[in-house]
């Protein structure tokens, strides 16, 4: 029991300090309101939660409806495409494919370069470079892919996938590099080709890492702003907004009186996402591939 207590003390202390300690003021703000006359906060119980729920469900501008829809679609698209490509490139690097080190560096570069720089480069490529190339090759004038409403969301999804790509590839390829050579050699001696080797040997070995990345993506469902603030500042159109973008935009420009409502929204979204995250994690642990 002493050994167990010592081992659990550090992670417990980290949760208490770096989650509850850091966020305790935000949590308490959800139950208060600001008095502009006295400049102080007073306790109002659950009033903020009622106002927030009323705003979300009776929103005449449909801003929240767009935001929730876009958040779910963005998670499905970015997670499914991003994780599939990350597994593919990680396996390519693991199999020592041609140019593997080049791919490793290039794919990770967006994670270390300033987001503003990457947004400027990406915008120039999709709005200027690609249309100029199409015009030079085919003589056809083409509207910028980001400025064209028909392709704007597709470009935003593409950019978000690229931004998270390097970290996922780094984690998955590192997990694959830890697989014992004897396991790989035994599978090859049994006649396993690259597809069977990936599906029956590599994927089961790195599945815990895959689950961790997947669970983190679920936990970020309502905080992911799809880099919209980097592209548009606080002026992105409502049809492109996500929940994360609305919260970030409002928080940046919020007054003291608006903080309690934002804190209440944060708690409500946390209450929704925690059981979903834990439930999906439990499900993945049960249905995941076996390496036996």
């Amino acid at each position: 029991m002493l050994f167990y207590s010592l081992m659990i003390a550090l992670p417990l202390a980290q949760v208490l300090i770096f989650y509850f300690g850091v966020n305790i003021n935000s949590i308490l703000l959800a139950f208060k309101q600001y008095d502009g006359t006295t400049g102080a906060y007073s306790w109002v119980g659950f009033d903020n939660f009622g106002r927030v729920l009323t705003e979300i469900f009776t929103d005449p501008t449909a801003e929240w409806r767009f935001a929730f829809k876009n958040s779910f679609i963005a998670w499905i698209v970015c997670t499914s495409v991003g994780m599939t490509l990350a597994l593919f490139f990680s396996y390519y690097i693991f199999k020592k494919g041609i140019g593997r080190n080049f791919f490793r560096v290039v794919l990770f570069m967006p994670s270390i370069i300033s987001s503003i720089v990457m947004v400027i480069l990406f915008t120039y490529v999709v709005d200027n470079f690609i249309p100029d190339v199409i015009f030079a090759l085919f003589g056809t004038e083409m509207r910028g892919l980001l400025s064209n409403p028909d392709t704007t969301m597709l470009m935003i999804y593409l950019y978000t996938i690229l931004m998270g790509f390097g970290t996922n590839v780094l984690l998955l390829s590192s997990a694959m590099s830890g697989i014992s050579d004897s396991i790989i050699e035994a599978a090859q001696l049994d006649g396993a080709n690259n597809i069977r080797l990936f599906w029956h040997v590599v994927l089961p070995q790195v599945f815990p890492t895959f689950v961790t990345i997947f669970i983190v993506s679920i936990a970020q469902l309502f905080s992911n702003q799809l880099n919209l603030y980097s592209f548009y500042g606080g002026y992105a159109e409502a049809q492109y907004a996500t929940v994360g973008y609305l919260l970030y935009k409002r928080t940046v420009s919020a007054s003291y009186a608006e903080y309690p409502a934002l804190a209440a929204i944060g708690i409500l979204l946390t209450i929704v996402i925690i059981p979903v995250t834990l439930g999906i994690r439990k499900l993945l642990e049960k249905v995941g591939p076996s390496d036996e």
Side-chain angles (χ1 to χ4, degrees):
M1 180 56 67
L2 177 61
F3 174 80
Y4 172 80
S5 300
L6 292 175
M7 290 299 99
I8 203 67
L10 180 59
L12 183 60
Q14 289 180 323
V15 171
L16 293 175
I17 295 172
F18 295 107
Y19 181 78
F20 290 103
V22 171
N23 295 309
I24 188 64
N25 189 46
S26 297
I27 295 173
L28 293 177
L29 271 177
F31 302 93
K32 299 178 180 180
Q33 70 177 6
Y34 181 74
D35 189 329
T37 304
T38 62
Y41 287 99
S42 58
W43 192 267
V44 293
F46 290 91
D47 290 356
N48 290 320
F49 294 91
R51 285 196 293 270
V52 165
L53 290 173
T54 300
E55 176 190 351
I56 292 175
F57 287 107
T58 62
D59 179 16
T61 64
E63 187 177 45
W64 283 106
R65 180 167 58 84
F66 278 122
F68 280 105
K69 182 186 73 172
N70 289 337
S71 292
F72 281 107
I73 295 176
W75 177 80
I76 293 172
V77 173
C78 296
T79 301
S80 58
V81 176
M83 291 296 292
T84 301
L85 292 177
L87 281 169
F88 171 78
F89 279 102
S90 298
Y91 187 59
Y92 182 82
I93 293 172
F94 171 72
K95 294 294 292 181
K96 297 180 173 57
I98 299 174
R100 62 186 182 279
N101 292 327
F102 171 78
F103 282 115
R104 189 194 296 268
V105 173
V106 170
L107 292 174
F108 193 69
M109 281 182 62
S111 301
I112 59 178
I113 297 177
S114 168
S115 62
I116 299 300
V117 173
M118 292 303 301
V119 163
I120 293 174
L121 290 174
F122 183 82
T123 302
Y124 176 79
V125 169
V126 300
D127 268 359
N128 298 99
F129 178 74
I130 293 178
D132 288 346
V133 170
I134 296 297
F135 181 77
L137 293 177
F138 306 104
T140 302
E141 292 189 0
M142 174 182 172
R143 188 173 180 180
L145 296 174
L146 187 63
S147 58
N148 186 348
D150 295 333
T151 56
T152 296
M153 284 307 298
L154 180 62
M155 292 300 102
I156 291 174
Y157 292 152
L158 175 61
Y159 181 81
T160 302
I161 292 170
L162 292 175
M163 288 302 99
F165 207 51
T167 302
N168 292 344
V169 170
L170 181 66
L171 292 173
L172 289 168
S173 61
S174 298
M176 290 179 186
S177 66
I179 300 175
S180 174
D181 292 337
S182 60
I183 298 177
I184 303 299
E185 292 172 359
Q188 291 173 336
L189 288 174
D190 287 338
N193 56 26
N194 285 331
I195 296 177
R196 292 179 63 86
L197 183 65
F198 169 79
W199 190 256
H200 295 288
V201 177
V202 175
L203 183 58
Q205 293 287 328
V206 302
F207 192 70
T209 302
F210 176 86
V211 169
T212 300
I213 297 173
F214 189 79
I215 293 302
V216 169
S217 73
I218 298 174
Q220 295 175 342
L221 173 63
F222 294 130
S223 61
N224 185 6
Q225 55 157 310
L226 293 180
N227 301 281
L228 288 170
Y229 202 84
S230 298
F231 279 105
Y232 303 106
Y235 304 101
E237 296 182 27
Q239 60 181 327
Y240 305 139
T242 64
V243 174
Y245 174 72
L246 289 185
L247 291 178
Y248 186 84
K249 180 180 72 171
R250 292 189 179 190
T251 302
V252 168
S253 60
S255 64
Y256 288 115
E258 294 172 308
Y259 284 140
L262 292 170
I265 295 175
I267 290 178
L268 288 173
L269 295 178
T270 302
I271 292 173
V272 171
I273 204 63
I274 283 179
V276 174
T277 303
L278 296 178
I280 293 180
R281 187 190 68 175
K282 195 69 175 178
L283 178 63
L284 287 175
E285 289 174 349
K286 289 183 176 181
V287 304
S290 173
D291 56 1
E292 297 179 355

